[in-house]
Amino acid sequence: MHFTSEQHLDDGVLEREFTLGETPGTLWTPESSAPAPLILMAHNNGLPKRDPRLAARARHSAACGYAVATIDAVGCGDRPRSAADEQARADLRRAFQAGEPVDEIFESFIGPMVENAVPEWRTTLDALLALPGIGGPVGYSGWTALGIHLAAVEPRIAAAGFFAGGYVPRAQREEARQVTIPLLFLLQWDDEGNPRQRALDLFDAFGSKEKTLHANLGGHVGTPWFEVEDGNRFYDRHLK
């Protein structure tokens, strides 16, 4: 892991950009000498790590005593996409404009994106836990499809907060039964791109004995800020 820049923010958080092989990422850490629990934070469907909503959540969690890291994995953010990915996205735009079904198009690129991203997240986790000032346990926050697959194969993930706003491939809907860690599931009740019943069915499918559903009125990007604060209380219970 090679750090390429660092900035001391006005909320007492140190923000550092890094690269790990071809993987770019950002790490936020609190001003504390004690080892901090770690939260891996991913945005839905591979939006860039610099997305303002993700960065705001990360800074808030870091100010509350967590190390928070995010990466642009294969095909995500500014990293190159395959010709097949670009074609799928073009097909998706066309289908949305025409009012046609889009599930199969999502399947064609979200599934492979998840499969490709998980190994890079696990490699990043190895490197992060080797840094001074970062300990365990480890939590996950954000993109549901990625989080399901990561939680199913990575035993170091101790708790997860999932955002129900992104498409979850059929393989991950089945894999959700293998997720048994404590879970906080956020749902926007009027999300135009996420059928409500599908999200509720996914919540039912999780194998966790401790799982909580928070549903709020509003569309895809309308999640209230207090859910970030509630999320930190959820991590406080399970990571501290």
Side-chain angles (χ1 to χ4, degrees):
M1 179 172 285
H2 174 64
F3 288 102
T4 58
S5 69
E6 70 174 45
Q7 181 180 3
H8 291 272
L9 305 177
D10 55 12
D11 48 8
V13 172
L14 176 62
E15 178 184 271
R16 287 176 285 177
E17 300 288 330
F18 65 83
T19 57
L20 184 61
E22 296 181 355
T23 307
T26 307
L27 173 64
W28 296 265
T29 50
E31 290 184 349
S32 172
S33 58
L38 174 64
I39 299 174
L40 304 178
M41 191 170 286
H43 211 307
N44 274 353
N45 297 348
L47 290 176
K49 62 184 177 59
R50 66 173 182 270
D51 182 88
R53 288 172 295 164
L54 183 147
R57 287 168 32 222
R59 288 181 58 171
H60 185 79
S61 293
C64 291
Y66 293 95
V68 184
T70 190
I71 63 171
D72 282 346
V74 174
C76 298
D78 293 331
R79 292 185 67 182
R81 294 169 180 156
S82 69
D85 284 347
E86 292 293 1
Q87 182 60 53
R89 290 173 185 272
D91 292 343
L92 189 63
R93 289 191 293 270
R94 178 194 56 76
F96 271 127
Q97 290 170 357
E100 298 173 354
V102 296
D103 281 10
E104 294 307 317
I105 302 174
F106 272 126
E107 287 282 339
S108 70
F109 75 97
I110 297 297
M113 186 184 292
V114 168
E115 291 290 339
N116 291 330
V118 164
E120 291 201 349
W121 278 95
R122 298 186 77 182
T123 299
T124 303
L125 177 56
D126 291 339
L128 290 167
L129 290 177
L131 293 174
I134 298 180
V138 180
Y140 174 88
S141 174
W143 182 12
T144 299
L146 172 66
I148 290 171
H149 192 29
L150 188 60
V153 302
E154 178 49 74
R156 291 173 291 185
I157 304 294
F162 292 153
F163 287 54
Y167 182 82
V168 178
R170 288 184 286 269
Q172 273 68 65
R173 288 179 234 165
E174 288 298 319
E175 201 171 26
R177 306 180 193 282
Q178 302 174 35
V179 176
T180 59
I181 58 176
L183 178 67
L184 176 62
F185 194 58
L186 299 183
L187 170 63
Q188 284 301 102
W189 202 243
D190 308 300
D191 192 334
E192 58 280 2
N194 183 37
R196 184 185 305 164
Q197 191 57 53
R198 180 184 292 172
L200 296 174
D201 290 344
L202 179 61
F203 179 75
D204 282 340
F206 287 114
S208 306
K209 292 184 178 179
E210 180 180 340
K211 55 183 178 180
T212 302
L213 171 66
H214 284 190
N216 291 282
L217 296 177
H220 183 72
V221 296
T223 304
W225 179 255
F226 64 71
E227 290 291 1
V228 176
E229 299 167 343
D230 284 351
N232 282 334
R233 285 190 284 270
F234 166 79
Y235 293 118
D236 288 346
R237 293 196 299 272
H238 298 292
L239 302 183
K240 288 185 175 180

